[in-house]
Amino acid sequence: MSSRRDPVRLAVRLSLATPLVALLAACGGSPTGPSAGPQPGPDPAPAPVASLRAAAASRGLSYGCAVGAAQLVEDAAFASLVARECGIVVPVSELKWQALRPTEASFNFVGSDRVMRFAEENGLRMRGHTLVWHEALPGWFAGSATPANAAALLDDHIATVVGRYAGRVHSWDVVNEAVEPAHGRADGLRDTPWLRLLGPEYIDHAFRAAAAADPSAVLVYNENWLEYSTSAPKRRAVLELLRGMRSRGVPVHALGIQAHLNPRHTLDVAGLRAFVDEVAALGLQVIVTEMDVTDEALPGDPAVRDEAVAELYSRFLGAVLGQTRTTTVITWGLSDRYTWLNTARPREDGLPVRALPFDQGLGQKAAYQAVGRSLSQAPAR
Ligand code: G3I
């Protein structure tokens, strides 16, 4: 409901006067609504969102969230909410090396199997995250992986993990966060253990191994920090990486834009629109893979924060959903009850973070309506 019709939202916006305007101006927005798209005229009240899954499906999109296996087992109310609102789930940690590989010679699929079972029992898909990353590596890795054995280690990991779920996953984040122009390489790659062990070819190698293990899976290159006015060098480097992969016939099918959003930084709506169009022109899908909003820089008042968080979701989604090759939106969690930001980005005032569509009590927030409206008003796929 626009603020003109909704006295609470109008009061919130008027009470924001300077702080929110300053914050939104800092990220290129305005308190009068998303800077993307036509300004609302005498708008009809938008239809209520039945669920984020239904809102997405109504336009040929998919929506889902990241979960932990323990959350699904120990919190029945949360598990029911996930089953109602999502069409896809992705394990936060259960498919990372640290969780899967207690030793070099063993695999532990208890957590990932639990998430897959939840998905299949509830008619959801699971996406895999992530086969190659420089973080969440097990303690034995540094002392065991060498340039001589790293390719075999990687091939065995991918064949075993991807093979276990072959034909059953929505998509795989094959390589995560491999680009970092600040590291000074001409190819813009991040200096990681995998680069040092195998050279830049590790990326192509991983995608080819994943395609061999599951020819049906959508294979994704996943990246962070692509959303801001300061992200242009990284967007260029990622495009060059993807362009090269495509020219070498590497089986990459999508770019994952993590979208960990923060009002401290200026969202680059025009830059994002152009970027997703360029990615689509390479013949790739775009998947929003880890969307959430850090509210550390926002005022403590929950109504004020919720409004600003919702506005940022709307502006980001408005920028990327205009490109019909953007097929999927995943939030990095569904409820503030389990957001990683409470530990990773705690607020100075100690208040719980309000980053996601549902609050800690599993009640809908302004972010829920913002994400739902963005999905249901996106161009049909
Ligand atoms: O589950 C164990 C628990 O048994 C143990 O008692 C506890 C003590 O440390 O650790 C728990 O595991 C933690 C895990 O999150 C739980 O999901 C790990 O320590 C912790 O390091 C891990 O952090 C995750 C981080 O990735 C590293 O894997 C965050 O929750 C998760 O939000 C974050 O997600 C990443 C994406 O994968 C990639 N993109 C960036 C994003 C944010 O950093």
Side-chain angles (χ1 to χ4, degrees):
M1 179 182 285
S2 76
S3 59
R4 281 195 302 280
R5 296 229 180 112
D6 178 347
V8 171
R9 289 184 74 182
L10 178 62
V12 164
R13 286 190 175 152
L14 289 176
S15 73
L16 297 182
T18 306
L20 182 61
V21 168
L23 275 173
L24 288 176
C27 50
S30 75
T32 55
S35 65
Q39 289 307 311
D43 53 346
V49 176
S51 71
L52 297 178
R53 176 178 189 169
S58 73
R59 311 304 285 170
L61 287 157
S62 298
Y63 168 78
C65 77
V67 294
Q71 299 159 12
L72 300 174
V73 172
E74 298 162 6
D75 189 339
F78 176 73
S80 300
L81 185 69
V82 171
R84 187 188 81 205
E85 293 291 334
C86 298
I88 300 173
V89 285
V90 54
V92 168
S93 293
E94 289 79 359
L95 280 170
K96 295 172 180 172
W97 279 67
Q98 190 173 49
L100 281 176
R101 305 297 301 274
T103 68
E104 184 176 356
S106 63
F107 290 80
N108 172 9
F109 288 107
V110 171
S112 52
D113 283 355
R114 184 70 195 85
V115 177
M116 176 55 91
R117 187 161 64 247
F118 171 85
E120 293 182 329
E121 286 173 351
N122 290 281
L124 281 61
R125 305 292 299 284
M126 182 178 86
R127 73 180 310 266
H129 172 82
T130 176
L131 298 171
V132 182
W133 190 26
H134 57 280
E135 294 189 27
L137 289 169
W140 55 263
F141 187 87
S144 298
T146 67
N149 70 14
L153 193 61
L154 183 56
D155 288 344
D156 176 52
H157 183 83
I158 292 176
T160 306
V161 177
V162 175
R164 184 182 187 87
Y165 303 111
R168 300 161 65 194
V169 299
H170 169 271
S171 55
W172 269 104
D173 288 337
V174 177
V175 175
N176 188 44
E177 301 173 13
V179 169
E180 180 42 83
H183 285 186
R185 285 177 55 96
D187 57 14
L189 293 184
R190 182 189 296 271
D191 178 19
T192 72
W194 292 108
L195 181 75
R196 279 178 247 130
L197 286 164
L198 293 169
E201 298 74 28
Y202 82 92
I203 298 171
D204 292 9
H205 187 104
F207 275 85
R208 295 188 194 283
D214 184 357
S216 70
V218 170
L219 303 181
V220 184
Y221 173 74
N222 194 42
E223 190 57 81
N224 64 11
W225 199 263
L226 296 170
E227 303 83 10
Y228 303 110
S229 54
T230 53
S231 305
K234 190 164 195 177
R235 291 195 292 261
R236 281 194 298 275
V238 166
L239 273 177
E240 277 316 300
L241 172 68
L242 294 172
R243 195 168 281 122
M245 292 172 75
R246 295 288 282 171
S247 69
R248 295 188 294 274
V250 175
V252 54
H253 310 122
L255 168 69
I257 298 178
Q258 289 185 12
H260 290 294
L261 305 175
N262 188 330
R264 278 192 200 280
H265 309 298
T266 303
L267 188 72
D268 188 350
V269 172
L272 273 169
R273 281 183 185 282
F275 180 58
V276 294
D277 286 348
E278 290 180 278
V279 173
L282 291 175
L284 300 175
Q285 287 182 51
V286 173
I287 297 178
V288 177
T289 51
E290 305 181 20
M291 186 173 73
D292 55 17
V293 176
T294 300
D295 68 0
E296 59 184 350
L298 296 175
D301 182 322
V304 172
R305 268 194 276 161
D306 288 358
E307 187 66 28
V309 166
E311 293 272 12
L312 190 46
Y313 276 128
S314 293
R315 295 183 58 247
F316 170 77
L317 289 174
V320 298
L321 290 179
Q323 171 46 256
T324 55
R325 294 286 283 155
T326 302
T327 60
T328 307
V329 174
I330 306 283
T331 47
W332 203 239
L334 185 61
S335 159
D336 299 334
R337 185 178 292 184
Y338 298 114
T339 177
W340 69 294
L341 295 170
N342 271 321
T343 50
R345 299 283 187 284
R347 290 178 53 86
E348 285 179 9
D349 59 15
L351 292 172
V353 170
R354 296 179 65 87
L356 291 165
F358 288 87
D359 64 22
Q360 293 201 1
L362 306 188
Q364 290 181 10
K365 291 159 54 192
Y368 179 91
Q369 296 305 330
V371 173
R373 212 169 28 247
S374 300
L375 293 168
S376 59
Q377 293 175 0
R381 270 73 178 144

